[in-house]
Amino acid sequence: KAMASASQADAERLDRLLGSSLTAAEVTEARGIISGSGALAATEKEIEDATGEALTALDAAGIGAIALGGLQRLARLASQRDA
Protein backbone atom coordinates (compact mmCIF):
# COMPACT_ATOMS: atom_id res chain seq x y z
CA LYS A 1 0.00 0.00 0.00
CA ALA A 2 2.75 2.44 0.85
CA MET A 3 4.51 1.85 -2.46
CA ALA A 4 1.30 2.37 -4.43
CA SER A 5 0.25 5.47 -2.52
CA ALA A 6 3.59 7.23 -2.04
CA SER A 7 5.18 9.59 -4.51
CA GLN A 8 7.52 7.93 -6.99
CA ALA A 9 10.55 9.31 -5.18
CA ASP A 10 9.29 8.10 -1.78
CA ALA A 11 8.37 4.68 -3.18
CA GLU A 12 11.84 4.30 -4.67
CA ARG A 13 13.47 5.39 -1.42
CA LEU A 14 11.32 2.98 0.61
CA ASP A 15 12.20 0.18 -1.79
CA ARG A 16 15.90 0.87 -1.20
CA LEU A 17 15.40 0.94 2.56
CA LEU A 18 13.39 -2.27 2.88
CA GLY A 19 15.25 -5.53 3.27
CA SER A 20 18.43 -4.06 4.68
CA SER A 21 19.80 -3.18 8.07
CA LEU A 22 18.65 0.33 8.89
CA THR A 23 19.95 3.03 11.16
CA ALA A 24 17.54 4.66 13.58
CA ALA A 25 17.30 7.63 11.21
CA GLU A 26 16.45 5.35 8.28
CA VAL A 27 13.75 3.60 10.33
CA THR A 28 12.26 7.00 11.12
CA GLU A 29 12.43 7.93 7.45
CA ALA A 30 10.72 4.69 6.37
CA ARG A 31 8.00 5.17 8.98
CA GLY A 32 7.45 8.70 7.72
CA ILE A 33 7.06 7.52 4.14
CA ILE A 34 4.63 4.77 5.15
CA SER A 35 2.59 7.05 7.37
CA GLY A 36 2.64 9.91 4.88
CA SER A 37 1.41 7.66 2.09
CA GLY A 38 -1.76 6.85 4.05
CA ALA A 39 -0.88 3.15 4.11
CA LEU A 40 -0.76 2.96 7.89
CA ALA A 41 -4.18 4.56 8.32
CA ALA A 42 -5.65 2.34 5.58
CA THR A 43 -4.25 -0.80 7.20
CA GLU A 44 -5.54 0.22 10.62
CA LYS A 45 -9.00 0.75 9.08
CA GLU A 46 -8.90 -2.70 7.45
CA ILE A 47 -8.02 -4.27 10.81
CA GLU A 48 -10.86 -2.39 12.50
CA ASP A 49 -13.34 -3.49 9.81
CA ALA A 50 -12.21 -7.12 9.94
CA THR A 51 -12.50 -7.15 13.73
CA GLY A 52 -16.03 -5.77 13.47
CA GLU A 53 -16.94 -8.49 10.98
CA ALA A 54 -15.47 -11.16 13.26
CA LEU A 55 -17.39 -9.86 16.26
CA THR A 56 -20.62 -9.79 14.26
CA ALA A 57 -20.04 -13.36 13.11
CA LEU A 58 -19.40 -14.46 16.68
CA ASP A 59 -22.64 -12.82 17.82
CA ALA A 60 -24.52 -14.75 15.14
CA ALA A 61 -22.78 -18.08 15.81
CA GLY A 62 -25.12 -19.17 18.57
CA ILE A 63 -22.38 -20.27 20.93
CA GLY A 64 -22.53 -20.25 24.71
CA ALA A 65 -22.02 -17.03 26.64
CA ILE A 66 -18.73 -18.07 28.25
CA ALA A 67 -17.19 -19.16 24.96
CA LEU A 68 -18.60 -16.10 23.19
CA GLY A 69 -17.09 -13.75 25.75
CA GLY A 70 -13.71 -15.44 25.51
CA LEU A 71 -13.67 -15.37 21.72
CA GLN A 72 -14.77 -11.74 21.63
CA ARG A 73 -11.98 -10.81 24.01
CA LEU A 74 -9.49 -12.80 21.94
CA ALA A 75 -10.59 -11.04 18.74
CA ARG A 76 -10.14 -7.64 20.37
CA LEU A 77 -6.76 -8.54 21.86
CA ALA A 78 -5.51 -9.92 18.55
CA SER A 79 -6.46 -6.79 16.65
CA GLN A 80 -5.43 -4.05 19.07
CA ARG A 81 -1.89 -2.79 19.14
CA ASP A 82 0.18 0.20 20.07
CA ALA A 83 1.51 2.08 17.07
Side-chain angles (χ1 to χ4, degrees):
K1 290 184 186 218
M3 297 292 213
S5 301
S7 69
Q8 182 175 349
D10 281 348
E12 289 172 0
R13 177 64 178 145
L14 186 59
D15 187 51
R16 286 191 302 274
L17 290 170
L18 296 177
S20 62
S21 295
L22 303 178
T23 65
E26 289 170 328
V27 169
T28 299
E29 181 183 4
R31 284 182 178 169
I33 293 169
I34 293 167
S35 181
S37 73
L40 178 60
T43 300
E44 294 290 350
K45 177 72 170 115
E46 286 180 13
I47 292 168
E48 181 182 320
D49 291 347
T51 301
E53 290 175 22
L55 293 171
T56 298
L58 285 171
D59 287 340
I63 58 178
I66 294 173
L68 176 62
L71 290 170
Q72 288 170 329
R73 184 164 189 262
L74 180 60
R76 287 185 186 101
L77 287 171
S79 63
Q80 294 174 351
R81 65 178 195 85
D82 294 325

